[in-house]
Amino acid sequence: MTIPHRLTGGGDHHVLVLHDWFGTSAGWGPFLDYLDGDAFSYAFLDYRGYGERKDVPGAYTLAEIAADALALADQLGWERFSLVGHSMGGKAAQQVLAEAPLRVRKLVGLAPVPAGAYPLDEAGEALFYGAAEDREKRFAILDLVTGQRAGRVWLDRMVDQSLRLSHPEAFGGYVRDWATADIERRISGNPVPVKVIVGEHDLALTADVMRGTFLAHYPNAELEELGGTGHYPMYETPVALAASLEGFLHN
């Protein structure tokens, strides 16, 4: 199976990029304009049920994302690579690491979901599990994770994009898996260099959450809290995000 993808840059350092629950391989905003294509090659994957693979059926799990990511790396001839994962993609990136630890150079989590089960109370389950079929719930989630600071035009655009470019069955399947899957034992203690980047205004995946998860799991992990942004720094602070990401990958 040939896996469609987006490729930018031609550098020797190969990077697989995994998008968030609301996004696609094309949903990275102006951040892409500030990446160093001379040093890096970035491959952006669409999950089954999303973007260019919207009509591709699947189980809609992190394990399936990881298998497809590794298949894409093989397709590209990338024996070793770094991983970048945003939100749900941050947990999927850890699944890739669990499956192929010797292939991963570095791992960057952008407002990433931690490796353990993600606790949701009754209201949280109603909000997140109901979002596949409910536009207003998607809007409320995006408003929450951006610190209730974003304007309605941007929020509406993000919601409409997610509705247009993802299949409801996939959207619903992925959230149930990323919220309940627990791969802590498989990744805990892995010595891979890890950087976690969170936004100061993210009300869900905060710096404190990362200190209790990523920094506890990975002995070579570091944390940066970006100012002026919530959950979507690729839109909110794209220049700062590119500098933070590539400063870590370069070293």
Side-chain angles (χ1 to χ4, degrees):
M1 176 180 64
T2 300
I3 299 178
H5 59 281
R6 298 172 189 271
L7 191 64
T8 184
D12 292 335
H13 190 144
H14 302 145
V15 187
L16 282 177
V17 186
L18 305 179
H19 64 75
D20 72 309
W21 183 35
F22 279 78
T24 68
S25 65
W28 290 84
F31 159 73
L32 300 184
D33 293 338
Y34 310 114
L35 296 177
D36 183 354
D38 293 329
F40 301 99
S41 295
Y42 292 93
F44 296 80
L45 172 70
D46 275 321
Y47 309 147
R48 299 183 191 210
Y50 279 66
E52 293 184 17
R53 305 177 76 208
K54 183 178 178 181
D55 296 328
V56 177
Y60 310 127
T61 63
L62 299 176
E64 184 176 75
I65 293 172
D68 283 355
L70 288 167
L72 176 57
D74 291 342
Q75 179 180 312
L76 294 168
W78 292 1
E79 177 56 33
R80 296 197 75 222
F81 48 83
S82 291
L83 288 162
V84 174
H86 177 219
S87 195
M88 175 180 85
K91 191 165 185 175
Q94 294 177 86
Q95 182 87 39
V96 175
L97 178 67
E99 300 294 342
L102 297 180
R103 298 184 68 177
V104 179
R105 294 177 60 173
K106 295 186 176 185
L107 187 150
V108 179
L110 308 179
V113 175
Y118 189 79
L120 291 171
D121 59 18
E122 185 176 345
E125 286 189 358
L127 178 63
F128 279 77
Y129 293 165
E133 303 289 347
D134 190 324
R135 186 187 190 283
E136 290 308 309
K137 285 185 170 67
R138 296 197 193 201
F139 186 100
I141 291 167
L142 286 172
D143 193 29
L144 171 72
V145 298
T146 49
Q148 298 174 329
R149 300 164 56 254
R152 175 168 286 275
V153 170
W154 183 83
L155 291 168
D156 280 336
R157 183 174 298 174
M158 292 290 285
V159 171
D160 291 342
Q161 176 178 281
S162 75
L163 288 166
R164 186 176 69 256
L165 297 178
S166 66
H167 194 286
E169 183 181 353
F171 197 86
Y174 286 124
V175 66
R176 291 183 179 277
D177 194 61
W178 69 249
T180 59
D182 187 346
I183 59 170
E184 277 190 17
R185 290 183 181 179
R186 298 186 65 193
I187 56 83
S188 186
N190 191 296
V192 67
V194 173
K195 181 166 187 177
V196 184
I197 302 169
V198 298
E200 66 167 328
H201 298 294
D202 191 333
L203 298 180
L205 293 164
T206 64
D208 283 344
V209 169
M210 300 308 149
R211 291 186 187 99
T213 55
F214 274 84
L215 270 64
H217 298 154
Y218 297 101
N220 294 313
E222 61 185 80
L223 171 67
E224 181 176 0
E225 186 176 49
L226 286 183
T229 185
H231 195 69
Y232 285 88
M234 60 286 298
Y235 290 96
E236 299 174 76
T237 55
V239 176
L241 175 60
S244 176
L245 168 68
E246 293 191 332
F248 174 72
L249 293 178
H250 268 300
N251 295 329

